Structure formats: C-alpha cells, structure tokens
Amino acid sequence: MSIFDKLFEEAKAARETAYAPYSNFKVGSAILTESGEVVRGCNVENAAFPEGVCAEAGAISAMHLAGQTRIKEVVVVADAALCTPCGGCRQKLSEFAGNDVKVHVADLNGLRKTFTVGELLPAGFQLHDDK
C-alpha cells in the first residue's frame, strides 16, 4: 500500500467521525509526520459560526499533542469536486510544513489533485527575526 493510499484511507475514516449537523459537509484529514506517524482530524461544527474546527486544524492539533512538529505529507478528503484547505488552514499547514510538502485533495473515490503548500499559500505570513 502506498503512502497516499494509507493516508487516503485514514482521512476517509476520519471524515466519517466528523460532526457536521449544520452543513452536513464532512471533511477528514490525515497527516504523515516526518517521523512516520500518521495523525488524523475531522471537522467539528458549532452553532456559533464560525467557531468550528477544520479537519486540517484538528489533525495539526493531534500532531502537536503527539509531540510531532513537522508535516511530511497531507491528504484531505471530502465529498466534493475539489475541497482544498481554507485560507486559515493553509497558513496553519505552512507553520509546520515546507513549501514543497504535498497536500493531496481527494473525494470519496480517490485523488482529485495534488498541490504543494507553497502553491496553496504562495505568500504566507512568516514571523522573522530581522536582528
């Protein structure tokens, strides 16, 4: 089984656990860390829009909780033609991934398109020490 296939199955399973009673739009994400660990996340909606949590943000939180700090690869799964990470999640991904890290976007049948973090967020905010 390829890395993509493993991440796809993990993201698809995470999607099934999403809490989306308002939009009924479930999203799952799986992150491969640089150490080889796979962490998952799902979207969790809230009646006080926009206080929900995206699948990518949930996976990043799980990654950090597990003591991991760097992303090697990402898969996002939704029942949509092309569900790319939102702007906030693009910035969150860039905090923990290099510009060349692959972000695979899939529907329930498989891969739709692959982007790099740099393609998704070409001018991301970076905190630099100019001293």
Side-chain angles (χ1 to χ4, degrees), residues 6-18:
K6 168 84 170 137
L7 293 173
F8 173 73
E9 291 302 324
E10 293 286 340
K12 195 172 173 182
R15 179 191 168 277
E16 290 303 314
T17 68

Side-chain angles (χ1 to χ4, degrees), residues 2-126:
S2 73
I3 294 296
F4 170 79
D5 291 336
K6 168 84 170 137
L7 293 173
F8 173 73
E9 291 302 324
E10 293 286 340
K12 195 172 173 182
R15 179 191 168 277
E16 290 303 314
T17 68
Y19 178 72
Y22 306 101
S23 70
N24 200 33
F25 188 74
K26 296 180 175 186
V27 182
S29 180
I31 290 174
L32 177 66
T33 68
E34 283 193 341
S35 69
E37 186 174 341
V38 175
V39 292
R40 304 182 313 168
C42 65
N43 61 318
V44 178
E45 294 180 347
N46 187 293
F49 294 122
E51 298 301 317
V53 177
C54 297
E56 302 90 331
I60 290 168
S61 293
M63 177 190 77
H64 197 328
L65 181 63
Q68 302 298 312
T69 60
R70 299 301 299 165
I71 296 170
K72 186 173 181 179
E73 200 162 339
V74 181
V75 172
V76 179
V77 174
D79 188 13
L82 197 62
C83 182
T84 62
C86 73
C89 286
R90 292 174 189 209
Q91 180 64 44
K92 288 175 181 78
L93 289 167
S94 76
E95 292 282 325
F96 299 97
N99 282 334
D100 60 336
V101 167
K102 292 179 183 175
V103 179
H104 307 285
V105 178
D107 65 13
L108 299 179
N109 297 311
L111 181 64
R112 298 290 298 190
K113 189 163 181 167
T114 298
F115 301 90
T116 64
V117 169
E119 289 171 332
L120 290 172
L121 190 68
F125 178 77
Q126 297 292 322

